[in-house]
Every structure is written in C-alpha cells, then in structure tokens.
Amino acid sequence: MLRRLLPLAAATFAVGTDGYVIAGLLPSIAADLGVSTPAAGQLVTVFALTMALSAPIMGALTSALDRRSALLIALAVFVVGNVVTALGTSYGMVMAARIVTAVGAGIINSAASSTAAAIAPPERRGRALAFVLGGLTSATALGLPLGTLIGRTDWHITLWAVAGIGLLAAVGIAVGLPGVRLPAASLPDRLRPLKQGRVLALLAVTSLAFLGAYTLYTYISPTLRDVTGGSESLLTLILLAWGLGILAGNIAAGRLVDRHDSAHVLTVALALATLALVLTPLMTRVLAPTLVWAVVWGLTAGVIVVPQQHRLISLGPAAAPVLLGLNSSALYVGIALGGGLGGLAQGWFGLAPAELGPVAAGVTALTLLWHLGTTRRPAAPSPAAPEPAASASPEKTGA
C-alpha cells in the first residue's frame, strides 16, 4: 500500500509547500512588489479563497476521470501557475498567477485523500489519510523553512523550486499510481451534503479552526521579527520547529483516530492550540521559549485535519470523495478568512503582528465551543452520494 500512497503524498507536499511558503516570504514579496505587508498577505487570502470556491467545480468537472488523470491535470495547471508567479514583476501579475495556481491546487488534496481512503482497508484508513496528509505536514516541516531560506536572496527562486516539486509529483503520479476510479459526482451531487445539518456543523469546525490559525500564521514572519532580529537563519529555525511539531501531530493523529474517538482527539488539540495562541506575545520575545511555543502550536495544528476527515467519512463512506472535497474547501475558506482578519486587525486596529496571537486564540476558543456542540448532536443520516459506476470495481481492484 505504501507504494501507492507515496506519489499521493508527493502531490500534497507540492501543494503544501506552495501554500505555506508565501507566509515566510511575505516581507520580501511586499518590498519587491511595492505594497504593504498586509496587502501582500492578501496573496494568501485570494489563493485560499480561490481554492475553496474552485474545488467543487473542478472536482465535478474531473469526477468522471480516474484519479490519476484528474491529479495530472490539476498538477499541470498548478505548475504553470507557479511558473508565472516566479516570473511575476508586479502585484497584479502575481495575484493573477496565484489564482491560476489555486485552481489547479484546489482538487489535489481532496483527490489524493479520497484515493487514499479508497485504497486503504477501513482499520488502517486513519493512518493512510495521515500518510497522504504527511505531504502537507512535511511541506510545513521542510518546504516552508527551506523555501524561506532559499528565498532570502530572491523570493522568485522559491517559486521556481515549488514548480519543480509539482513537476516531480506529476511524474510520480504518472508512474507510480494505478488507475483508481471512484463514483462520479456532479456539482449538485457535491453540494447536496450541505443540506445536512450535521455535515455543515463539522465543516464549520474545519473553517473556524483554520481561520484562527491563519489569523496569526499568515503574518508569522513579521510576528517573529523581534525575536529573530531580522535574521533569516533564525526565522528558518523557528519555522522548522513549527513544522516538525506539525509533522509529529499529524503522525500522532493518524494513530489516535484509529484507536480513540476522533471528536475527543480534536477536543484536546483545540484546547492546547488556544493556550499556545493566547501566549504568543509572551512566548515570542526570547528564542528558547519561542522554539517551545512553535513546537507546541505546530503539534496542535498537525492534529486537526485527520480527525475531521475521519468524522466526515464516518458519516457516509460512500460519499467520501464528496465530503473530503467539501472539507478541503472549508479548510481554505478558513485560511482565506484568517488572512483577511489578520490584515484587518493590523490595518484598522493598529495591532502589532504578535498581538494577533490572542485574536487567533479567541477564534480557536470559539471553535472549541462549537466543536463540543457538534459532539452532543445526534448523528444524521449518511449524506446522499452517487452510486459507484459499474466499471469502478475492476479498475480499483486492479490498482
């Protein structure tokens, strides 16, 4: 099974590196394009919002294809978008390129996750999802700090590197992933679960959790400016600590949800995330406490996605591709709103970047309360999903 999952993890690594690395390069991008740091932060917001809105549409357009073909098409658009971003010399050009990139990236995570869920036996589904999402967390642990370090002289070089990672991921998909055909779902099919109150409640948890995290994370580089003294090497070290925390959290999440109730796992993660975020102004003054803070916050952030995916699949296994696609959109809605909230808090209320930590903690605390409410609600009927196509079983079985 590992051989089949590896290229999927490579694809999510490419998307994760692309999505995370911009935050580490924000001051350089802002200076080069002649805009403010909050304005540059809207590159993250628009990228995430485009992914959220385009993912259901692109998913519907490619749902009749086997997952290998769909992933290759998405990666092609992704690579082209990053090449144009790397060539960008103006804010408008870079913004347009990020939109193109996001359209390609929009279906990669959900397609990779749904394929992993289809390949893995039920008792190992949590670990399979964690392994594929490990591409995202590995991107945080390695892609983000390395991209920041590479981009210390020219941020365009980092985007060229991201395009190269996307190309390598496409080669891995083409060579290493067999054809896996899942039930086709039209756009109405994909949106139908939104009529289910239980599904909406769980998707809101995902959006709120990432809204809280990205209120601060989008501006992580200026947040750490005082403790790093402007040193790119120290910034890279802290981002590496944060990324390693996420990687550990993701690995732990896969094992925990296979052994314990997913809702309880998420409760603990959100509680610890709230504590870490509220302590941001105090913990980011000296290097040693900052490293501890980064690991703890990263650990909590790395746990969130896997139990959410597990809970959604449990609602309706037959609708897993649809539900995971909606969860991916909900995730990027949260990222987009978080980047926007962080920018507004700085622009309208004059908050320093480090002061965004308590704001993010407040949002995360609300997320925890909402999540606790969802655990007390009765289970809803499984969301409607299209029946598997007659040709799906042979192709999937032969995968």
Side-chain angles (χ1 to χ4, degrees):
M1 187 175 68
L2 180 62
R3 179 179 59 84
R4 298 176 179 179
L5 296 177
L6 191 58
L8 299 176
T12 61
F13 179 83
V15 174
T17 301
D18 191 40
Y20 286 123
V21 77
I22 292 296
L25 301 173
L26 219 53
S28 299
I29 293 174
D32 192 46
L33 299 180
V35 297
S36 67
T37 299
Q42 300 318 300
L43 293 172
V44 177
T45 299
V46 170
F47 179 86
L49 188 60
T50 302
M51 285 189 71
L53 297 177
S54 66
I57 299 172
M58 293 299 295
L61 291 175
T62 60
S63 66
L65 300 174
D66 68 85
R67 296 300 82 196
R68 178 174 55 197
S69 299
L71 285 165
L72 287 175
I73 292 171
L75 281 165
V77 176
F78 173 84
V79 169
V80 169
N82 273 294
V83 168
V84 177
T85 304
L87 295 171
T89 55
S90 69
Y91 184 70
M93 181 179 179
V94 171
M95 181 67 78
R98 296 305 289 166
I99 291 173
V100 172
T101 307
V103 171
I107 62 171
I108 292 174
N109 291 341
S110 60
S113 295
S114 60
T115 303
I119 291 173
E123 68 275 9
R124 295 182 62 85
R125 185 177 291 148
R127 273 167 281 188
L129 288 170
F131 183 82
V132 171
L133 287 173
L136 289 174
T137 52
S138 296
T140 311
L142 301 175
L144 172 59
L146 286 177
T148 303
L149 195 60
I150 292 170
R152 63 192 301 178
T153 54
D154 186 349
W155 63 269
H156 298 86
I157 298 175
T158 300
L159 274 298
W160 280 111
V162 170
I165 294 170
L167 185 59
L168 290 175
V171 172
I173 293 289
V175 173
L177 182 69
V180 176
R181 189 175 294 276
L182 299 175
S186 65
L187 186 58
D189 289 331
R190 290 177 175 272
L191 299 180
R192 189 175 299 128
L194 295 178
K195 297 179 181 179
Q196 301 273 346
R198 178 71 167 166
V199 171
L200 278 175
L202 292 184
L203 293 177
V205 172
T206 297
S207 289
L208 287 170
F210 279 86
L211 190 161
Y214 270 76
T215 295
L216 177 64
Y217 176 77
T218 303
Y219 304 96
I220 192 65
S221 184
T223 294
L224 299 173
R225 186 174 293 142
D226 288 343
V227 72
T228 62
S231 168
E232 294 291 344
S233 297
L234 288 179
L235 175 62
T236 300
L237 177 63
I238 296 170
L239 293 178
L240 179 61
W242 188 76
L244 291 174
I246 283 196
L247 187 60
N250 178 259
I251 293 170
R255 297 184 180 276
L256 288 171
V257 300
D258 281 341
R259 299 175 182 176
H260 305 284
D261 182 71
S262 298
H264 293 162
V265 173
L266 187 58
T267 297
V268 175
L270 290 173
L272 290 175
T274 300
L275 179 61
L277 288 167
V278 80
L279 293 175
T280 300
L282 296 176
M283 296 293 288
T284 55
R285 296 176 179 177
V286 181
L287 182 60
T290 301
L291 291 171
V292 174
W293 167 83
V295 171
V296 173
W297 181 32
L299 187 70
T300 64
V303 170
I304 292 171
V305 176
V306 173
Q308 278 296 93
Q309 288 188 325
H310 208 266
R311 295 173 78 194
L312 285 164
I313 292 174
S314 297
L315 286 181
V322 174
L323 293 171
L324 291 177
L326 289 173
N327 193 57
S328 181
S329 289
L331 185 157
Y332 284 102
V333 165
I335 291 175
L337 294 175
L341 178 61
L344 290 175
Q346 293 174 83
W348 289 4
F349 302 107
L351 294 182
E355 294 173 333
L356 295 175
V359 177
V363 176
T364 306
L366 290 175
T367 306
L368 175 58
L369 294 176
W370 180 267
H371 161 66
L372 291 175
T374 68
T375 63
R376 292 192 291 268
R377 297 181 186 181
S382 297
E387 292 297 322
S391 60
S393 295
E395 187 167 355
K396 179 181 166 185
T397 302

